[in-house]
Amino acid sequence: AHGEGLAAAMAGETAKFVLVTRDEFNNPKGAGGASRAIKLSLSSSSSSSSSTSITPTIQDNQDGTYYVEYIPTLLGSCQLSVLVSDGHVMGSPFPVSVRAGACEPSMCEMVASSSSSSASEFVAGRPIDINVQGKDRCGNPCSTGGMTFTLNATGASPFSASSNDNRNGLYSFNIEPTVAGKYVVCKLSRMILQYMISSLYILFFFFSDGHNIRGWNSC
């Protein structure tokens, strides 16, 4: 077997390689028909309990070679096992480095900043830090930037804010509402975080519709 997908891949993205079947004397078989006998599994090199069976997409070229595609979900240093008729092919398991895929807004999550990790109340006129953790379609944290998020809040005094890209997968908002009251950031179907505040403070409700960046990037 050979191809880039046997060495590197992105979580949630298609990885590819070519499989060449051979007989017991290491001669290319020259005929197809083994698609159903090809099986893949991916395991984490750092955890023996992290292993997943993969359903590959296989193109039988009818000459003993097969184009194989798979989509990894695990992240980090992994081992890709390639089996034909329950036997490992030469070189299997292959060490594969899987990095996080492209940022998927529907999987991103809001995370507490160091300055407000334990805060449940905020004072009007004082800065509030909000962070968004970028994640790929498999829910793995992204480690690079490149996205732009917009926070749109309605309530006592509506406002908008654009994110700062920290280039490490985190996006931060620094806001400073001056009017106390209740605020809703994209009022959609499911609440993921709530800040309770008295009449002298600001009240935030954060909602998610399960499709947008927790309801923020397209109100």
Side-chain angles (χ1 to χ4, degrees):
H2 59 88
E4 184 179 355
L6 297 176
M10 293 180 66
E13 307 292 337
T14 299
K16 305 177 181 180
F17 65 90
V18 178
L19 177 63
V20 181
T21 55
R22 299 177 181 273
D23 62 21
E24 59 184 311
F25 303 107
N26 203 32
N27 298 307
K29 285 192 172 183
S35 293
R36 293 186 178 181
I38 299 172
K39 297 179 181 179
L40 304 183
S41 65
L42 189 70
S43 60
S44 172
S45 298
S46 60
S47 174
S48 58
S49 62
S50 296
S51 180
T52 180
S53 178
I54 298 175
T55 301
T57 299
I58 301 171
Q59 177 182 315
D60 186 346
N61 298 315
Q62 301 298 324
D63 59 0
T65 66
Y66 301 82
Y67 294 151
V68 183
E69 298 181 351
Y70 70 97
I71 299 177
T73 57
L74 299 177
L75 198 65
S77 298
C78 298
Q79 297 287 324
L80 177 67
S81 295
V82 181
L83 298 90
V84 178
S85 299
D86 297 325
H88 285 274
V89 303
M90 186 180 299
S92 176
F94 298 91
V96 178
S97 176
V98 183
R99 66 184 189 277
C103 185
E104 171 56 47
S106 65
M107 298 300 294
C108 297
E109 293 184 350
M110 186 163 55
V111 295
S113 67
S114 58
S115 61
S116 61
S117 58
S118 60
S120 60
E121 295 184 333
F122 299 105
V123 179
R126 293 183 183 178
I128 301 171
D129 294 321
I130 297 174
N131 291 331
V132 172
Q133 172 64 65
K135 292 191 175 185
D136 64 21
R137 66 180 62 182
C138 298
N140 298 306
C142 295
S143 57
T144 58
M147 298 285 287
T148 299
F149 297 113
T150 301
L151 185 155
N152 296 309
T154 61
S157 180
F159 63 90
S160 297
S162 296
S163 63
N164 294 313
D165 187 349
N166 298 316
R167 302 295 177 183
N168 61 356
L170 279 176
Y171 301 84
S172 58
F173 295 90
N174 183 264
I175 58 178
E176 192 173 331
T178 57
V179 179
K182 295 182 179 180
Y183 290 83
V184 174
V185 179
C186 291
K187 186 176 182 181
L188 296 170
S189 61
R190 181 164 54 89
M191 185 172 64
I192 60 168
L193 181 59
Q194 171 179 310
Y195 290 115
M196 299 299 299
I197 302 176
S198 68
S199 60
L200 296 178
Y201 294 80
I202 301 169
L203 175 61
F204 281 94
F205 291 97
F206 296 91
F207 293 80
S208 168
D209 65 355
H211 296 286
N212 302 317
I213 165 54
R214 295 313 190 204
W216 292 5
N217 68 330
S218 56
C219 297

